[in-house]
Each structure stands twice: as C-alpha cells, then as structure tokens.
Amino acid sequence: MPFKNIVFWTLVIALTALPGYMLFYKLYIAKLPMESLIPDIIYQVETQIDLEGYGNDVNVSVYLPKNDSRQQIFSEQSSNTNFTLSIPTDELNRQASWAGTTIQGYHNLRYSYSVKASHVQYKIPDNIGIPKQYPAQFDSYLMEEEGVQVSDNLISETLFTTLELPARPKILEALRAIHDHLQNNLTNRTFSGYTDALTALKLGEASCNGKSRAFVAMARRLNLPARLVGGLILQPGSKRTSHQWVEVYIAGHWVPFDTINDHFAEIPANFLTLYYGDKALFTRSANINFDYSFRTNKSLVPRNEVSEILGDSLFNTLNIYAVFERIGISQDFLKILLMLPLGAFVTVVFRNVLGLETFGTFLPALIAAATMETGLLWGLVGFVGIIMSAAIVRKLLDWLQLLHSPKMAIMLTVVVILLMIASIAGVHFELFKLAQISLFPIAILAITAERFAITIEEQGLVKALNITAMTVIVIIAAYTVMDSLFLQSLFFAFPELLMIVIVLNLWLGKWIGLRLSELIRFRQLIFSGKNS
C-alpha cells in the first residue's frame, strides 16, 4: 500500500476512534444521562415601548414574569432615561412601572430578561370527584366576576344540556368535556378586543381571552377553582400579540389548559407566564401616543450538571463554554462556530458530488452562518440585493477605467453603505430580522459582487444568474442543516463530532465518481455506450 494511503487511512481511523472513545467515556464511564447532554433552550425577551408625550406627566406599566417551579427569570435589564422605574410586586404578580414628569416628545422604554422554562404535563386520575368545599383562600377563584358570568343560564345549559354532564361529574370527565367543546366547537379568531364568556359561547367563536373566560366560567360553575393566566408564546422574532390560558386547581396543583392550541393539562416550554387574573397587560396614561412590541431570540446553552459530573476530567469538552464566557464571546457565536463546518460540508457535497457551481468555495456556508441571525428569507433578499447593486456600481467603475485596488476599495465601501441602509430600513419598518443583515461578511460580499460582474462580462448575464441561483440553493441547504435544533443540540453536547466532519471531508476528497450534473449532462453518451 502506498505511503500516502497509509497516512490517509491512519487519519481516518484516528479521527473516528478518538471521538468514539470520548462519547463512550461520557455515556458509560462518566454515566452522563442523555437528557443532560442536550443543551437548555434560553429565550431572551425584550419589551419595547415607544411613546410620545405632550408635556404632561406619563405613567406606563407592564407585567413582568416571576420565578416559579416551571420558569426561571434572570439577566434582567432596563433602559428608562427620563423616567423613574419601580417594580411593585404582590403574591402573584409584579410590574415594571415607569413614571415621568412633563414628558415631551418621543421616548422609548426597554425591559429585557432571559427565560428558561420547562414543559409540564399533568395526569388527572379519572376517579377524582369535585370537592364540595375549599379553604377560604380559593373563594375568589369560584365567584362570578366581570366577563366570567358563572351564574348565567347559558353556562348551565352548555354544561348540562349541550355537554350532557351529570350534576356532579368527575373532574377529568368535566374538564375534558369543557376543553373539547371549546377546542372543537368554537372557532379560533384573532380578535384584539375584549370578549366575555357569554359572547364567546353565543357567537361560537372567540380569541384566546374569550375562550379562557368561558372555560373559567364553566369550571367555577362546577365548583372547580379556576383562574386566567396571561403571557407570551415565545417564538423568535418581533410581535405585539400576547396570549391567555387557564389554570384549574386540582388536588393541590394549578393545572394549565389552553383551548386555542389544544393543550390539555399541559403547558409547553415556550409559554411564558406574565400575570394571573383578568388584567390588562399594559396600563398607561391616556394623553400619549403609545406603541409596543416584544422581541424574542432563542439560544442554546450547556447544562451545568454536565460540567459538574465531568469535573476536572480531560474529557470535559464543555470547558470551551467557560472559556468563551470568560472572554466575553456569546454562546450564539459559539453555535455558529460549531455549525460552520457542517455548512462547509454541505457546500462540498453540492459542489463535488452534485456538481453545482457557486460563487466562492465556502461562500454559501458563510452566508448561511450570517443568515442564522437574519432568518432565511431576509438573508437571501439581502444577499441577492447587495450582490446585484454592488455589481451595477462595479460596471460604473469599469467605465471610469479605475485601477483594480482602488476599485475594490470603493466596492467594499459601497457594500458597507448598502448594509447600513438595509439595517436602518429594517429598524424603521420594524423588520428586525432585516436589521441584522449588517452581520454579513463584508469583504466576501464585495469579492462576490466583483465575480458576478466579471462573469457577466466573460460568460454573459444568463450564466451569472445561473451561478447566483445555484449559490442561493446551496445557501438554503447549508442554512437548513446549520439551523437544525437537533444538530445544534448534538454538537453542543458532543463537540468532538467535528472530527467526524473531517473524516467525511477526507472521504469526499477521494471522490472520483461522476458528479450528478455531469451524469445528467452526458447521460445519452453514457447510457448509449452501455447499450452497445
């Protein structure tokens, strides 16, 4: 066997065996539970309030989440120039309350925090009956109130005629009937206004607040303590919509129900509880222009118990997280670093196996990495738009007959200006994903625009557009792989798998077969030769 082949196979075996042993050590020697290796999902939430005052005193309040057994809140920060911030708290709720005197002009208020929450699901035994009495502390959760018309005949008719419940049903039987009726027989609507329990039942349609009030009214009619819960469904991006669901007190637990999203006795990990009770999320002075939004980002962080179990072991590869934190580099950047080799591997597959031609060897992987912050749609729009615009500028510079180096410096500056314009437009139009486009690799974009223009000159516009289209296809493929939560979790838990990526690239480096594009291009010649 030639010496080069010996070196090649030695590398393959070593790079496969080493991560294999590290995985074996973690799972069977250190005996790490598999679930502890999956990173936690952390949400960063920012409440943004924009207001305009006219010289009067201004007060604005918004509910804030509290720590409990399901959700942990940390890293809270506020921005409140010209306002005094206080955070009044009672047994159930707390608020951020801003107060300002003689407020004139435009102001913005920000309050941000990080959230780690867990999915909780309850199993309600089918033989538990509804208690006849409760301690006095539950009286407020059994009484009638505005919007929750417990004693109205329609509530009783719905329970005992429409749902055909017995006079004293079992808890599971009653709650299943109420939940299924509201889930299946009342149409979901996105009303922004107030809907009480009776209106929801009469119309046969409601938003989350109308369905929740109907649920609470029927539960209380059956002598089941119930309360409204307000919060957010945490999803990356910017939105103005909050959410409302219900909790029913059963055998010592407040059990959640959501008839909009069909969550029976469970609450997902991305539900954030902000307040309890039938309350307005925001309260404010009437004499101001007012707007608000919630911005949410999602990230992965390692579980602390893994590092504690591995201790000072050389196999505690999670020490890289501590190193990154110590030097002030975010976990999001580490995520991109871990995923970038996978994006590069995807690019290699598309170029060497499928035969797609792209601008730059690893440009698609780099753009896909930047697109993880902007989102796929705005990332592609920004990439194509900047390339096309910069290419037009390059044609103008060619007409002026400038030397190459000054020309490239001008194009680099143009790309910077275009990125700044896109970011400013994103903020102005509240397209916050577009605003993140400034993270794109500037020099790469300038060089790609140069190549695009040269391709038009040498091979024509159609060829340049074809290569651009193939580059976009590879960017989409690389983004899909790099943005996979499963793969991110896997590489966070086992960063040694990067060695396997090297092995895969070594294997592709020996690829001598026809590319798929070549097979399609020469299919008649190939298959006619076989037939002869």
Side-chain angles (χ1 to χ4, degrees):
M1 179 182 294
F3 180 71
K4 287 184 179 181
N5 287 345
I6 295 175
V7 173
F8 175 83
W9 287 110
T10 300
L11 280 173
V12 169
I13 294 172
L15 292 173
T16 303
L18 182 57
Y21 177 71
M22 296 171 75
L23 293 176
F24 176 81
Y25 179 90
K26 287 181 178 180
L27 297 176
Y28 296 101
I29 298 179
K31 295 183 179 179
L32 289 171
M34 180 61 72
E35 62 271 14
S36 69
L37 293 171
I38 305 303
D40 280 323
I41 295 177
I42 301 295
Y43 294 94
Q44 293 84 34
V45 183
E46 183 179 58
T47 304
Q48 302 182 346
I49 299 172
D50 299 312
L51 60 89
E52 185 177 7
Y54 299 98
N56 300 312
D57 293 349
V58 172
N59 293 278
V60 176
S61 296
V62 61
Y63 281 100
L64 299 176
K66 295 181 69 175
N67 286 314
D68 58 31
S69 59
R70 190 190 71 87
Q71 65 185 31
Q72 292 80 51
I73 313 300
F74 52 95
S75 301
E76 296 186 70
Q77 295 181 342
S78 64
S79 172
N80 53 2
T81 56
N82 299 320
F83 286 81
T84 300
L85 173 64
S86 61
I87 303 181
T89 303
D90 58 31
E91 183 180 355
L92 292 178
N93 300 318
R94 68 186 187 122
Q95 290 179 293
S97 295
W98 289 273
T101 57
T102 61
I103 297 299
Q104 185 74 43
Y106 174 84
H107 296 270
N108 61 76
L109 307 175
R110 302 289 184 266
Y111 198 97
S112 63
Y113 45 85
S114 295
V115 180
K116 182 173 74 172
S118 57
H119 171 259
V120 175
Q121 187 168 20
Y122 293 87
K123 181 175 177 58
I124 304 173
D126 56 10
N127 60 347
I128 298 182
I130 299 176
K132 293 182 179 180
Q133 290 184 332
Y134 295 90
Q137 67 195 67
F138 293 100
D139 288 349
S140 62
Y141 302 120
L142 291 167
M143 65 176 56
E144 183 166 313
E145 59 183 290
E146 183 181 359
V148 180
Q149 301 94 330
V150 177
S151 60
D152 192 273
N153 289 335
L154 180 59
I155 301 298
S156 298
E157 290 174 7
T158 303
L159 288 170
F160 304 118
T161 302
T162 304
L163 303 184
E164 300 181 344
L165 287 174
R168 295 201 60 81
K170 301 296 184 183
I171 291 179
L172 178 61
E173 174 190 15
L175 293 177
R176 174 52 74 182
I178 294 171
H179 177 89
D180 288 351
H181 176 66
L182 295 174
Q183 173 70 37
N184 301 325
N185 299 328
L186 268 70
T187 304
N188 290 342
R189 295 297 186 192
T190 56
F191 298 140
S192 59
Y194 181 95
T195 305
D196 62 27
L198 296 184
T199 302
L201 294 175
K202 289 177 182 178
L203 293 178
E205 60 182 26
S207 62
C208 59
N209 71 73
K211 284 193 172 188
S212 295
R213 292 189 183 96
F215 196 118
V216 169
M218 288 189 281
R220 291 180 181 180
R221 173 63 181 81
L222 294 172
N223 204 42
L224 283 168
R227 65 186 182 186
L228 294 167
V229 184
L232 298 174
I233 298 178
L234 300 177
Q235 297 169 326
S238 178
K239 66 177 183 179
R240 300 182 75 254
T241 55
S242 57
H243 189 50
Q244 198 168 60
W245 61 94
V246 173
E247 288 183 350
V248 179
Y249 188 77
I250 306 170
H253 300 279
W254 284 103
V255 180
F257 298 86
D258 177 11
T259 59
I260 286 286
N261 299 294
D262 198 15
H263 297 306
F264 183 86
E266 69 171 329
I267 184 169
N270 67 330
F271 274 45
L272 173 65
T273 300
L274 291 177
Y275 61 89
Y276 295 96
D278 198 352
K279 303 179 183 300
L281 177 55
F282 289 91
T283 55
R284 63 181 179 86
S285 302
N287 54 344
I288 58 173
N289 284 331
F290 178 85
D291 196 10
Y292 69 91
S293 65
F294 299 98
R295 288 191 62 190
T296 304
N297 291 312
K298 182 171 69 173
S299 61
L300 298 174
V301 297
R303 296 178 185 261
N304 293 331
E305 57 262 34
V306 178
S307 187
E308 293 174 359
I309 294 174
L310 290 176
D312 296 329
S313 167
L314 291 175
F315 293 96
N316 188 1
T317 55
L318 291 178
N319 281 336
I320 60 175
Y321 305 130
V323 172
F324 271 68
E325 288 179 354
R326 194 157 50 243
I327 61 179
I329 296 178
S330 69
Q331 298 290 347
D332 288 336
F333 183 69
L334 176 58
K335 176 183 69 176
I336 292 175
L337 281 183
L338 289 172
M339 293 284 91
L340 192 56
L342 274 180
F345 174 71
V346 170
T347 303
V348 169
V349 171
F350 272 84
R351 286 176 62 91
N352 287 29
V353 179
L354 302 182
L356 269 65
E357 188 176 358
T358 63
F359 288 117
T361 305
F362 295 115
L363 171 73
L366 294 172
I367 296 300
T371 300
M372 291 174 70
E373 295 296 328
T374 66
L376 183 60
L377 174 61
W378 288 114
L380 293 178
V381 168
F383 170 72
V384 174
I386 289 172
I387 294 302
M388 299 294 182
S389 301
I392 293 173
V393 172
R394 197 263 186 191
K395 292 290 292 182
L396 174 62
L397 298 177
D398 285 343
W399 180 74
L400 293 174
Q401 297 182 335
L402 299 180
L403 295 175
H404 182 265
S405 295
K407 182 167 58 180
M408 288 303 300
I410 293 173
M411 289 193 59
L412 186 69
T413 305
V414 168
V415 169
V416 170
I417 293 172
L418 292 172
L419 288 172
M420 291 175 63
I421 291 173
S423 296
I424 293 170
V427 172
H428 179 74
F429 294 106
E430 296 189 355
L431 301 172
F432 297 108
K433 288 293 186 180
L434 178 61
Q436 297 294 324
I437 202 171
S438 58
L439 299 174
F440 272 26
I442 297 171
I444 297 293
L445 289 176
I447 294 172
T448 303
E450 169 83 358
R451 291 179 178 174
F452 179 82
I454 292 175
T455 304
I456 293 177
E457 291 179 359
E458 296 179 351
Q459 303 181 57
L461 177 62
V462 173
K463 178 65 174 179
L465 292 177
N466 283 339
I467 297 176
T468 302
M470 287 186 281
T471 302
V472 168
I473 290 172
V474 180
I475 290 173
I476 294 173
Y479 174 87
T480 302
V481 170
M482 296 171 67
D483 198 51
S484 165
L485 188 59
F486 169 75
L487 291 175
Q488 289 176 14
S489 300
L490 190 64
F491 276 77
F492 261 89
F494 306 108
E496 56 269 22
L497 289 176
L498 289 175
M499 299 181 193
I500 301 300
V501 178
I502 296 176
V503 171
L504 293 173
N505 280 297
L506 285 171
W507 174 68
L508 282 180
K510 294 288 187 179
W511 177 269
I512 57 175
L514 283 175
R515 298 170 179 171
L516 180 61
S517 60
E518 295 171 339
L519 185 63
I520 295 174
R521 182 180 178 185
F522 300 111
R523 62 186 181 279
Q524 293 183 344
L525 179 62
I526 294 172
F527 292 111
S528 62
K530 288 183 179 180
N531 293 334
S532 61

